[in-house]
Amino acid sequence: GDSVTQMEGPVTLSEEAFLTINCTYTATGYPSLFWYVQYPGEGLQLLLKATKADDKGSNKGFEATYRKETTSFHLEKGSVQVSDSAVYFCALSEASGGSYIPTFGRGTSLIVHP
Amino acid sequence: DAGITQSPRHKVTETGTPVTLRCHQTENHRYMYWYRQDPGHGLRLIHYSYGVKDTDKGEVSDGYSVSRSKTEDFLLTLESATSSQTSVYFCAISPPQGSGYTFGSGTRLTVV
């Protein structure tokens, strides 16, 4: 079945550092890929998405490129802020029997220090 | 999130009692999902619905049942709550193409 593997956290960075959170996936077809962010005490919010190979999703300075050849969708940001501290989830979605059931990674906690 | 609300936000209940959590949406989306979130496990799918009265099991459905009598409401019932069901429960909705999922703010359930 489908699966998503994320790097284990927490990832601890200083403000203005470069961020990479790795995500690789296993899927039978051609999934859509997503990154979600969860702030403390809240639900998950869609951060960005990509629906086909070589697409780049971007939002709020974050970006990720759909790499079919390496089955990866790594999240990057050039300069993190304290306000980026949160848990980040990689996810995929593809059709299965007419339904789209998302598969989530276990999440990576990001802590940004001033 | 706008368009999806969960109730209650917090609940403490005793072992062996039935508990019902409610998810309400105003987006008219076909798909609705219930997840639980636990440390070290990420998000695990409990049940989902692909239409009124159409539901199916997820990976951790034992001890849970769901009902969807209207497009806007998806109820999750713990038949007889156990301490292992202490968790944070999230509802999510999506359009049919799976183009993105909107999550509620969660219900923190404690079974004592």
Side-chain angles (χ1 to χ4, degrees):
Chain A
D2 294 351
S3 67
V4 174
T5 303
Q6 294 181 231
M7 58 189 295
E8 296 215 6
V11 173
T12 304
L13 296 172
S14 298
E15 204 164 27
E16 299 184 1
F18 184 86
L19 168 70
T20 299
I21 300 178
N22 291 337
C23 171
T24 57
Y25 68 90
T26 302
T28 54
Y30 302 94
S32 294
L33 301 174
F34 308 86
W35 275 101
Y36 284 83
V37 59
Q38 183 180 32
Y39 298 102
E42 299 182 11
L44 280 69
Q45 303 171 28
L46 179 63
L47 180 59
L48 54 84
K49 68 179 182 182
T51 58
K52 60 183 187 297
D54 300 325
D55 269 2
K56 177 184 285 188
S58 61
N59 186 25
K60 299 180 181 179
F62 291 90
E63 60 182 33
T65 301
Y66 190 142
R67 301 287 188 199
K68 192 171 185 300
E69 63 278 12
T70 54
T71 62
S72 65
F73 193 55
H74 304 322
L75 182 68
E76 296 181 336
K77 187 176 185 184
S79 176
V80 294
Q81 305 301 311
V82 173
S83 58
D84 293 327
S85 298
V87 180
Y88 293 81
F89 291 88
C90 185
L92 69 81
S93 172
E94 67 173 340
S96 175
S99 297
Y100 286 83
I101 307 302
T103 300
F104 288 87
R106 293 192 172 189
T108 301
S109 175
L110 170 65
I111 301 169
V112 181
H113 294 293
Chain B
D1 256 42
I4 178 171
T5 54
Q6 292 185 232
S7 59
R9 290 296 312 276
H10 302 272
K11 185 169 182 66
V12 179
T13 192
E14 293 187 350
T15 299
T17 61
V19 176
T20 295
L21 309 183
R22 180 178 184 243
C23 179
H24 178 78
Q25 63 147 328
T26 58
E27 304 298 318
N28 202 36
H29 282 333
R30 179 180 170 192
Y31 283 83
M32 300 185 76
Y33 312 82
W34 276 108
Y35 288 88
R36 59 178 290 174
Q37 185 177 32
D38 305 286
H41 292 278
L43 285 166
R44 291 183 290 176
L45 182 65
I46 304 171
H47 283 277
Y48 68 98
S49 170
Y50 47 94
V52 173
K53 291 187 170 50
D54 291 324
T55 65
D56 207 347
K57 296 178 180 181
E59 60 180 302
V60 290
S61 59
D62 287 348
Y64 302 94
S65 63
V66 290
S67 66
R68 191 166 178 201
S69 58
K70 299 184 292 185
T71 298
E72 56 266 36
D73 289 324
F74 191 33
L75 304 180
L76 175 71
T77 297
L78 288 65
E79 309 286 350
S80 176
T82 67
S83 58
S84 65
Q85 293 176 311
T86 292
S87 185
V88 180
Y89 291 86
F90 287 100
C91 178
I93 59 175
S94 76
Q97 297 80 9
S99 57
Y101 304 87
T102 302
F103 282 80
S105 298
T107 295
R108 182 173 295 277
L109 176 68
T110 303
V111 183
V112 299

